[in-house]
Amino acid sequence: MIIGTFSFLLACIGFILSNSSTMSSNPCIVKVGCVGVGSVCEKKSLPGIYKNPSCSVVALGRRDLPSLLSYQSRHNLSSATLFHGPSSGEDLIRHIAELKSLDVASGSSGVHHVVYVATPVSSHAGLVALCGELGLHCYCEKPLSRDLREGEEAARKFRGGDARLWCAYYRRYLPKFEAVKEGINKVGEVTGVRVTLRQKRHMMEEEKKRHWHFKKDVSGGGLVMDLGSHVVDLIDHLLGPLLGVHGVCSRSTSLSPGGPSIEDSVVGTWWHAPLSGGGGPVLGSCELNFAAGEDVDEVRVQGTRGCVGFGVFDDNPGVFRGTGGEEEVLGYEHLGGVQEHVHGRLFEAIVEDLREGKKECFNNAESALRCNEVLDKLLGGRREWGEDKMVK
Protein backbone atom coordinates (compact mmCIF):
# COMPACT_ATOMS: atom_id res chain seq x y z
CA MET A 1 0.00 0.00 0.00
CA ILE A 2 2.81 2.39 0.95
CA ILE A 3 4.74 1.43 -2.20
CA GLY A 4 1.64 2.04 -4.33
CA THR A 5 1.07 5.43 -2.74
CA PHE A 6 4.71 6.37 -3.20
CA SER A 7 4.59 5.36 -6.89
CA PHE A 8 1.44 7.43 -7.34
CA LEU A 9 3.14 10.47 -5.79
CA LEU A 10 6.18 10.02 -8.04
CA ALA A 11 3.89 9.84 -11.07
CA CYS A 12 2.12 13.04 -10.00
CA ILE A 13 5.42 14.84 -9.48
CA GLY A 14 6.62 13.65 -12.89
CA PHE A 15 3.40 14.90 -14.53
CA ILE A 16 3.74 18.32 -12.85
CA LEU A 17 7.40 18.63 -13.81
CA SER A 18 6.79 17.60 -17.42
CA ASN A 19 3.95 20.10 -17.78
CA SER A 20 6.04 22.75 -16.04
CA SER A 21 8.79 22.12 -18.59
CA THR A 22 6.35 22.43 -21.48
CA MET A 23 4.90 25.62 -20.08
CA SER A 24 8.32 27.16 -19.52
CA SER A 25 9.39 26.40 -23.09
CA ASN A 26 6.20 27.88 -24.55
CA PRO A 27 4.52 29.89 -21.75
CA CYS A 28 2.95 32.64 -23.85
CA ILE A 29 -0.70 32.09 -24.81
CA VAL A 30 -2.11 34.73 -27.13
CA LYS A 31 -5.86 34.89 -27.68
CA VAL A 32 -6.60 36.71 -30.94
CA GLY A 33 -9.81 38.26 -32.21
CA CYS A 34 -9.82 39.39 -35.85
CA VAL A 35 -11.99 42.32 -37.01
CA GLY A 36 -12.59 42.54 -40.77
CA VAL A 37 -12.02 38.99 -42.00
CA GLY A 38 -11.48 39.59 -45.71
CA SER A 39 -9.06 38.78 -48.53
CA VAL A 40 -5.91 39.72 -46.61
CA CYS A 41 -6.81 37.03 -44.05
CA GLU A 42 -6.98 34.21 -46.61
CA LYS A 43 -3.24 33.54 -47.03
CA LYS A 44 -1.22 36.56 -46.03
CA SER A 45 -2.10 37.15 -42.39
CA LEU A 46 -4.45 35.06 -40.26
CA PRO A 47 -3.12 31.58 -41.18
CA GLY A 48 0.33 32.72 -40.12
CA ILE A 49 -1.21 33.68 -36.77
CA TYR A 50 -3.40 30.66 -35.99
CA LYS A 51 -0.62 28.26 -37.03
CA ASN A 52 1.59 29.75 -34.32
CA PRO A 53 1.52 27.23 -31.42
CA SER A 54 1.28 30.07 -28.89
CA CYS A 55 -1.80 31.61 -30.53
CA SER A 56 -5.49 30.83 -30.58
CA VAL A 57 -8.08 32.65 -32.72
CA VAL A 58 -11.06 33.04 -30.41
CA ALA A 59 -13.25 35.50 -32.33
CA LEU A 60 -13.91 36.55 -35.93
CA GLY A 61 -15.80 39.61 -37.13
CA ARG A 62 -17.15 40.76 -40.49
CA ARG A 63 -20.26 42.60 -41.64
CA ASP A 64 -21.27 39.88 -44.11
CA LEU A 65 -22.35 36.71 -42.23
CA PRO A 66 -22.28 34.22 -45.16
CA SER A 67 -18.69 35.21 -45.99
CA LEU A 68 -17.76 34.97 -42.31
CA LEU A 69 -19.26 31.48 -41.99
CA SER A 70 -17.45 30.40 -45.15
CA TYR A 71 -14.12 31.64 -43.80
CA GLN A 72 -14.66 29.94 -40.44
CA SER A 73 -15.44 26.63 -42.15
CA ARG A 74 -12.61 26.74 -44.70
CA HIS A 75 -10.01 27.57 -42.05
CA ASN A 76 -11.29 25.14 -39.40
CA LEU A 77 -11.89 27.82 -36.77
CA SER A 78 -15.09 26.32 -35.42
CA SER A 79 -14.37 27.36 -31.82
CA ALA A 80 -14.14 31.07 -32.70
CA THR A 81 -17.09 33.25 -31.65
CA LEU A 82 -18.58 35.11 -34.65
CA PHE A 83 -19.64 38.75 -34.83
CA HIS A 84 -21.38 40.21 -37.87
CA GLY A 85 -23.27 43.31 -38.88
CA PRO A 86 -22.48 47.05 -38.78
CA SER A 87 -21.20 46.96 -35.18
CA SER A 88 -19.24 43.71 -35.52
CA GLY A 89 -15.90 45.43 -34.88
CA GLU A 90 -16.90 47.14 -31.65
CA ASP A 91 -18.81 44.05 -30.45
CA LEU A 92 -15.81 41.77 -31.03
CA ILE A 93 -13.42 44.13 -29.24
CA ARG A 94 -15.70 44.31 -26.20
CA HIS A 95 -15.96 40.50 -26.26
CA ILE A 96 -12.16 40.19 -26.14
CA ALA A 97 -12.14 42.65 -23.23
CA GLU A 98 -14.63 40.41 -21.40
CA LEU A 99 -12.43 37.37 -22.04
CA LYS A 100 -9.49 39.27 -20.62
CA SER A 101 -11.48 40.16 -17.49
CA LEU A 102 -12.46 36.50 -17.01
CA ASP A 103 -8.84 35.34 -17.42
CA VAL A 104 -7.63 37.95 -14.95
CA ALA A 105 -10.35 36.99 -12.46
CA SER A 106 -9.44 33.30 -12.75
CA GLY A 107 -5.79 34.07 -12.04
CA SER A 108 -4.57 32.95 -15.46
CA SER A 109 -1.01 34.14 -15.96
CA GLY A 110 0.91 34.41 -19.20
CA VAL A 111 -2.28 34.96 -21.23
CA HIS A 112 -2.41 37.93 -23.61
CA HIS A 113 -5.33 39.30 -25.59
CA VAL A 114 -4.79 40.82 -29.03
CA VAL A 115 -7.25 42.36 -31.48
CA TYR A 116 -6.20 42.17 -35.12
CA VAL A 117 -7.79 45.07 -37.04
CA ALA A 118 -7.97 44.04 -40.71
CA THR A 119 -10.67 46.45 -41.89
CA PRO A 120 -10.32 49.20 -44.54
CA VAL A 121 -8.20 52.12 -43.38
CA SER A 122 -11.04 54.56 -42.60
CA SER A 123 -12.13 52.44 -39.61
CA HIS A 124 -8.63 51.76 -38.24
CA ALA A 125 -8.39 54.78 -35.95
CA GLY A 126 -11.71 54.23 -34.19
CA LEU A 127 -11.19 50.49 -33.64
CA VAL A 128 -7.56 50.94 -32.57
CA ALA A 129 -8.59 53.66 -30.10
CA LEU A 130 -11.26 51.40 -28.59
CA CYS A 131 -8.64 48.67 -28.04
CA GLY A 132 -6.46 51.20 -26.24
CA GLU A 133 -9.35 52.41 -24.08
CA LEU A 134 -10.15 48.82 -23.01
CA GLY A 135 -6.51 47.91 -22.35
CA LEU A 136 -6.20 45.41 -25.20
CA HIS A 137 -3.15 44.82 -27.36
CA CYS A 138 -3.81 45.76 -30.99
CA TYR A 139 -2.25 44.54 -34.23
CA CYS A 140 -3.44 46.86 -37.00
CA GLU A 141 -3.24 46.54 -40.77
CA LYS A 142 -1.18 49.15 -42.56
CA PRO A 143 -1.25 52.05 -42.90
CA LEU A 144 -2.21 52.79 -39.32
CA SER A 145 -4.58 55.57 -40.41
CA ARG A 146 -5.54 57.83 -43.31
CA ASP A 147 -3.27 60.59 -42.00
CA LEU A 148 -0.98 61.41 -39.09
CA ARG A 149 -3.63 63.25 -37.09
CA GLU A 150 -5.94 60.22 -37.03
CA GLY A 151 -3.08 57.91 -36.11
CA GLU A 152 -1.87 60.12 -33.27
CA GLU A 153 -5.36 60.32 -31.78
CA ALA A 154 -5.67 56.52 -31.82
CA ALA A 155 -2.13 55.85 -30.51
CA ARG A 156 -2.69 58.30 -27.65
CA LYS A 157 -5.10 55.78 -26.07
CA PHE A 158 -2.18 53.40 -25.49
CA ARG A 159 0.04 55.84 -23.63
CA GLY A 160 0.49 55.19 -19.95
CA GLY A 161 -1.02 51.71 -20.09
CA ASP A 162 0.25 48.16 -20.53
CA ALA A 163 -1.46 47.57 -23.89
CA ARG A 164 0.77 47.51 -26.97
CA LEU A 165 0.10 48.71 -30.51
CA TRP A 166 1.76 47.17 -33.57
CA CYS A 167 1.29 47.82 -37.29
CA ALA A 168 1.41 45.11 -39.97
CA TYR A 169 4.45 46.22 -41.97
CA TYR A 170 5.54 42.60 -42.29
CA ARG A 171 8.32 43.19 -44.83
CA ARG A 172 10.66 44.17 -42.00
CA TYR A 173 10.65 40.50 -40.93
CA LEU A 174 10.86 38.74 -44.30
CA PRO A 175 14.16 36.86 -44.86
CA LYS A 176 14.76 38.77 -48.11
CA PHE A 177 14.94 42.11 -46.34
CA GLU A 178 16.85 40.73 -43.38
CA ALA A 179 19.50 39.71 -45.95
CA VAL A 180 19.30 43.13 -47.62
CA LYS A 181 19.80 44.86 -44.25
CA GLU A 182 22.92 42.76 -43.67
CA GLY A 183 24.08 43.47 -47.23
CA ILE A 184 23.93 47.22 -46.67
CA ASN A 185 26.79 46.79 -44.22
CA LYS A 186 28.98 45.90 -47.23
CA VAL A 187 28.58 49.26 -49.04
CA GLY A 188 30.80 51.23 -46.65
CA GLU A 189 29.46 54.63 -45.69
CA VAL A 190 25.95 55.00 -47.13
CA THR A 191 25.82 58.06 -49.40
CA GLY A 192 22.34 57.90 -50.91
CA VAL A 193 19.17 55.91 -51.65
CA ARG A 194 16.90 56.03 -54.66
CA VAL A 195 13.49 54.32 -54.95
CA THR A 196 11.81 53.75 -58.33
CA LEU A 197 8.41 52.04 -58.39
CA ARG A 198 6.40 52.09 -61.60
CA GLN A 199 3.29 49.99 -62.17
CA LYS A 200 0.31 49.83 -64.53
CA ARG A 201 -2.10 49.19 -61.67
CA HIS A 202 -4.17 52.37 -62.13
CA MET A 203 -5.00 51.30 -65.69
CA MET A 204 -6.81 48.11 -64.71
CA GLU A 205 -10.23 46.74 -65.65
CA GLU A 206 -13.20 48.88 -64.68
CA GLU A 207 -14.43 46.31 -62.14
CA LYS A 208 -11.18 46.47 -60.17
CA LYS A 209 -11.23 50.25 -60.25
CA ARG A 210 -14.24 50.13 -57.90
CA HIS A 211 -12.15 48.58 -55.10
CA TRP A 212 -12.14 50.48 -51.78
CA HIS A 213 -8.46 51.34 -52.28
CA PHE A 214 -9.64 53.94 -54.80
CA LYS A 215 -12.21 55.53 -52.51
CA LYS A 216 -10.35 58.35 -50.83
CA ASP A 217 -12.55 58.59 -47.73
CA VAL A 218 -12.01 54.86 -47.14
CA SER A 219 -8.36 54.30 -48.05
CA GLY A 220 -6.78 57.72 -47.63
CA GLY A 221 -5.55 57.87 -51.21
CA GLY A 222 -5.17 55.01 -53.70
CA LEU A 223 -2.07 52.91 -54.23
CA VAL A 224 0.27 55.65 -53.06
CA MET A 225 -1.15 54.98 -49.59
CA ASP A 226 -1.56 51.22 -49.93
CA LEU A 227 1.77 50.28 -51.55
CA GLY A 228 3.69 53.48 -50.88
CA SER A 229 3.31 52.87 -47.14
CA HIS A 230 5.25 49.59 -47.49
CA VAL A 231 8.01 51.42 -49.36
CA VAL A 232 8.30 54.20 -46.77
CA ASP A 233 8.28 51.81 -43.80
CA LEU A 234 10.90 49.53 -45.34
CA ILE A 235 13.28 52.41 -46.07
CA ASP A 236 12.74 53.63 -42.47
CA HIS A 237 13.67 50.15 -41.23
CA LEU A 238 16.77 49.78 -43.42
CA LEU A 239 18.24 53.29 -43.15
CA GLY A 240 16.47 55.04 -40.27
CA PRO A 241 13.73 57.70 -40.14
CA LEU A 242 13.08 59.79 -43.26
CA LEU A 243 13.68 63.44 -42.33
CA GLY A 244 13.07 66.75 -44.09
CA VAL A 245 10.53 65.14 -46.43
CA HIS A 246 9.22 67.08 -49.43
CA GLY A 247 6.88 65.71 -52.06
CA VAL A 248 4.79 66.62 -55.06
CA CYS A 249 1.88 64.46 -56.19
CA SER A 250 -0.42 64.33 -59.16
CA ARG A 251 -3.33 62.58 -60.79
CA SER A 252 -1.42 62.38 -64.03
CA THR A 253 -4.02 60.63 -66.20
CA SER A 254 -7.80 60.60 -66.49
CA LEU A 255 -7.59 56.80 -66.78
CA SER A 256 -6.79 56.48 -63.07
CA PRO A 257 -9.68 55.35 -60.85
CA GLY A 258 -11.17 57.04 -57.82
CA GLY A 259 -12.02 60.57 -58.86
CA PRO A 260 -9.92 63.71 -59.19
CA SER A 261 -8.43 63.57 -55.68
CA ILE A 262 -6.83 60.12 -55.99
CA GLU A 263 -3.14 60.65 -56.81
CA ASP A 264 -1.45 58.12 -59.09
CA SER A 265 2.12 59.44 -58.92
CA VAL A 266 4.45 60.99 -56.35
CA VAL A 267 8.02 62.30 -56.44
CA GLY A 268 9.71 62.91 -53.09
CA THR A 269 13.01 63.76 -51.42
CA TRP A 270 14.31 63.37 -47.87
CA TRP A 271 17.46 62.72 -45.84
CA HIS A 272 18.65 60.22 -43.24
CA ALA A 273 21.04 60.77 -40.37
CA PRO A 274 24.49 59.26 -41.19
CA LEU A 275 24.54 55.53 -40.48
CA SER A 276 28.27 55.45 -39.69
CA GLY A 277 31.46 57.44 -40.14
CA GLY A 278 31.76 61.19 -40.06
CA GLY A 279 29.81 62.06 -43.19
CA GLY A 280 26.81 64.33 -43.54
CA PRO A 281 23.14 63.49 -44.09
CA VAL A 282 22.29 60.66 -46.50
CA LEU A 283 20.04 61.96 -49.27
CA GLY A 284 17.09 59.96 -50.56
CA SER A 285 14.54 60.25 -53.35
CA CYS A 286 11.57 58.34 -54.71
CA GLU A 287 9.39 58.10 -57.80
CA LEU A 288 6.12 56.23 -57.27
CA ASN A 289 4.09 56.04 -60.48
CA PHE A 290 1.07 53.74 -60.64
CA ALA A 291 -0.07 54.94 -64.07
CA ALA A 292 3.13 53.96 -65.89
CA GLY A 293 3.38 52.00 -69.12
CA GLU A 294 6.05 49.72 -67.59
CA ASP A 295 6.79 47.83 -64.39
CA VAL A 296 9.92 48.84 -62.48
CA ASP A 297 10.62 47.92 -58.87
CA GLU A 298 14.09 49.02 -57.79
CA VAL A 299 15.74 50.41 -54.68
CA ARG A 300 19.44 51.29 -54.84
CA VAL A 301 21.39 52.02 -51.66
CA GLN A 302 24.69 53.65 -52.64
CA GLY A 303 27.83 53.56 -50.54
CA THR A 304 31.53 54.30 -50.68
CA ARG A 305 32.37 50.64 -51.42
CA GLY A 306 29.47 49.73 -53.70
CA CYS A 307 25.68 49.52 -53.74
CA VAL A 308 22.83 47.17 -52.87
CA GLY A 309 19.91 46.84 -55.26
CA PHE A 310 16.59 45.12 -54.57
CA GLY A 311 12.86 45.25 -55.31
CA VAL A 312 10.25 45.95 -52.65
CA PHE A 313 7.44 43.84 -54.15
CA ASP A 314 9.18 41.16 -56.23
CA ASP A 315 10.41 37.85 -54.87
CA ASN A 316 14.00 38.12 -56.09
CA PRO A 317 16.97 38.42 -53.73
CA GLY A 318 18.91 41.64 -53.37
CA VAL A 319 22.32 42.04 -55.01
CA PHE A 320 25.50 43.74 -53.74
CA ARG A 321 27.75 45.23 -56.42
CA GLY A 322 31.18 46.38 -55.29
CA THR A 323 33.24 49.20 -56.73
CA GLY A 324 35.72 46.65 -58.07
CA GLY A 325 33.09 44.93 -60.20
CA GLU A 326 32.43 42.07 -57.77
CA GLU A 327 28.81 40.93 -57.37
CA GLU A 328 27.12 38.99 -54.57
CA VAL A 329 23.56 37.69 -54.44
CA LEU A 330 22.12 38.32 -50.98
CA GLY A 331 20.63 34.89 -50.47
CA TYR A 332 17.58 34.32 -48.32
CA GLU A 333 15.17 31.53 -47.37
CA HIS A 334 12.35 31.33 -49.92
CA LEU A 335 9.00 31.00 -48.17
CA GLY A 336 7.03 29.54 -51.09
CA GLY A 337 5.61 32.75 -52.52
CA VAL A 338 5.47 36.31 -51.30
CA GLN A 339 1.73 36.03 -50.53
CA GLU A 340 2.02 32.87 -48.40
CA HIS A 341 1.48 33.62 -44.69
CA VAL A 342 3.81 36.62 -44.87
CA HIS A 343 2.56 38.03 -41.56
CA GLY A 344 3.71 34.90 -39.71
CA ARG A 345 7.27 35.98 -38.93
CA LEU A 346 6.12 39.41 -37.77
CA PHE A 347 3.55 37.85 -35.44
CA GLU A 348 6.24 35.53 -34.09
CA ALA A 349 8.14 38.69 -33.13
CA ILE A 350 4.99 40.03 -31.44
CA VAL A 351 4.65 36.83 -29.41
CA GLU A 352 8.29 37.18 -28.38
CA ASP A 353 7.58 40.82 -27.54
CA LEU A 354 4.86 39.68 -25.17
CA ARG A 355 7.25 37.30 -23.46
CA GLU A 356 8.97 39.60 -20.98
CA GLY A 357 12.64 40.10 -21.67
CA LYS A 358 12.64 38.28 -24.99
CA LYS A 359 12.65 40.59 -27.98
CA GLU A 360 11.07 43.94 -28.86
CA CYS A 361 9.06 44.03 -32.08
CA PHE A 362 10.24 46.67 -34.61
CA ASN A 363 6.73 47.47 -35.83
CA ASN A 364 5.51 49.69 -33.01
CA ALA A 365 3.25 52.73 -32.86
CA GLU A 366 6.16 55.15 -33.22
CA SER A 367 7.38 53.65 -36.52
CA ALA A 368 3.81 53.48 -37.87
CA LEU A 369 3.24 57.15 -37.06
CA ARG A 370 6.53 58.09 -38.74
CA CYS A 371 5.28 56.36 -41.88
CA ASN A 372 1.99 58.28 -41.80
CA GLU A 373 3.85 61.55 -41.34
CA VAL A 374 6.02 60.86 -44.40
CA LEU A 375 2.98 59.91 -46.49
CA ASP A 376 1.25 63.15 -45.46
CA LYS A 377 4.25 65.15 -46.65
CA LEU A 378 4.64 63.24 -49.90
CA LEU A 379 0.96 63.81 -50.64
CA GLY A 380 1.11 67.52 -49.91
CA GLY A 381 -0.62 67.79 -46.54
CA ARG A 382 -3.41 66.39 -44.42
CA ARG A 383 -6.58 65.38 -46.24
CA GLU A 384 -10.01 66.66 -45.17
CA TRP A 385 -12.17 63.54 -45.05
CA GLY A 386 -15.57 63.82 -46.63
CA GLU A 387 -14.44 66.68 -48.89
CA ASP A 388 -12.61 66.44 -52.19
CA LYS A 389 -9.76 68.78 -51.32
CA MET A 390 -6.35 68.95 -49.72
CA VAL A 391 -5.69 70.93 -46.55
CA LYS A 392 -2.20 72.38 -46.25
Side-chain angles (χ1 to χ4, degrees), residues 318-338:
V319 176
F320 166 73
R321 295 179 176 87
T323 54
E326 67 274 24
E327 192 170 292
E328 177 186 346
V329 174
L330 303 174
Y332 69 101
E333 176 191 359
H334 182 60
L335 295 181
V338 74

Side-chain angles (χ1 to χ4, degrees), residues 113-134:
H113 304 79
V114 178
V115 174
Y116 170 29
V117 175
T119 59
V121 186
S122 57
S123 56
H124 284 186
L127 295 172
V128 168
L130 181 58
C131 291
E133 289 173 4
L134 297 178

Side-chain angles (χ1 to χ4, degrees), residues 168-278:
Y169 289 110
Y170 56 82
R171 276 176 168 75
R172 290 177 175 234
Y173 283 91
L174 294 185
K176 169 179 177 175
F177 300 112
E178 290 178 340
V180 165
K181 192 171 178 65
E182 286 295 316
I184 290 173
N185 294 328
K186 301 175 184 292
V187 305
E189 290 188 47
V190 176
T191 59
V193 57
R194 184 185 70 212
V195 179
T196 306
L197 181 64
R198 300 178 190 139
Q199 294 185 357
K200 308 169 186 175
R201 297 272 292 272
H202 272 230
M203 274 109 62
M204 58 186 69
E205 309 88 74
E206 287 302 319
E207 182 180 349
K208 292 183 178 179
K209 287 183 179 182
R210 293 192 289 272
H211 192 275
W212 64 262
H213 283 144
F214 302 109
K215 297 176 181 177
K216 189 165 189 175
D217 283 0
V218 181
S219 68
L223 296 182
V224 172
M225 285 290 290
D226 184 49
L227 301 183
S229 59
H230 270 306
V231 173
V232 169
D233 179 77
L234 185 59
I235 297 301
D236 179 290
H237 175 58
L238 296 174
L239 300 175
L242 287 71
L243 307 170
V245 179
H246 292 279
V248 289
C249 59
S250 172
R251 177 181 172 83
S252 57
T253 173
S254 60
L255 298 175
S256 286
S261 63
I262 290 289
E263 306 84 4
D264 57 32
S265 58
V266 165
V267 173
T269 61
W270 63 85
W271 58 271
H272 301 275
L275 271 69
S276 61

